[in-house]
Amino acid sequence: MPSAACTHIESLSGVAASRARQCDDCVAIGSSWVHLRTCQTCGETRCCDSSPNRHASQHALASRHAVVASAEPSERWLYCYPDDAFAEY
Ligand SMILES: [Zn+2]
Ligand SMILES: [Zn+2]
Ligand SMILES: [Zn+2]
């Protein structure tokens, strides 16, 4: 895993891929999203901060799950919310 980002990212043993290419929280309320992020603690996929509901950020705050990976096929990066740290892999 990339070093020099933060301890959360450094301690990951691998990157969890998204199970479904959708935000379940948005589907539940009939909303839509822009991009998807996958929580690296629980493996659930939610929508990004460009989306109206920002479910990935809400989840990170509420659950204290620190790191997400982009779930976009063309993007390979990790982001840690508490440290505001970004790393490509
Ligand atoms: Zn961190
Ligand atoms: Zn959402
Ligand atoms: Zn999580």
Side-chain angles (χ1 to χ4, degrees):
M1 285 293 102
S3 59
C6 73
T7 53
H8 303 102
I9 289 173
E10 286 175 23
S11 66
L12 294 176
S13 56
V15 178
S18 63
R19 288 192 286 256
R21 305 243 334 121
Q22 64 179 35
C23 173
D24 288 340
D25 291 357
C26 280
V27 170
I29 61 174
S31 187
S32 59
W33 57 86
V34 179
H35 297 299
L36 294 168
R37 309 290 180 240
T38 300
C39 177
Q40 295 299 294
T41 306
C42 61
E44 293 176 3
T45 298
R46 292 183 172 82
C47 55
C48 72
D49 282 357
S50 300
S51 307
N53 296 293
R54 302 182 176 188
H55 285 128
S57 284
Q58 287 187 33
H59 170 73
L61 276 173
S63 66
R64 299 182 160 271
H65 292 170
V67 181
V68 292
S70 174
E72 302 301 314
S74 60
E75 298 178 0
R76 292 173 65 82
W77 52 258
L78 299 157
Y79 178 74
C80 175
Y81 285 97
D83 292 314
D84 191 26
F86 178 87
E88 294 188 69
Y89 64 89

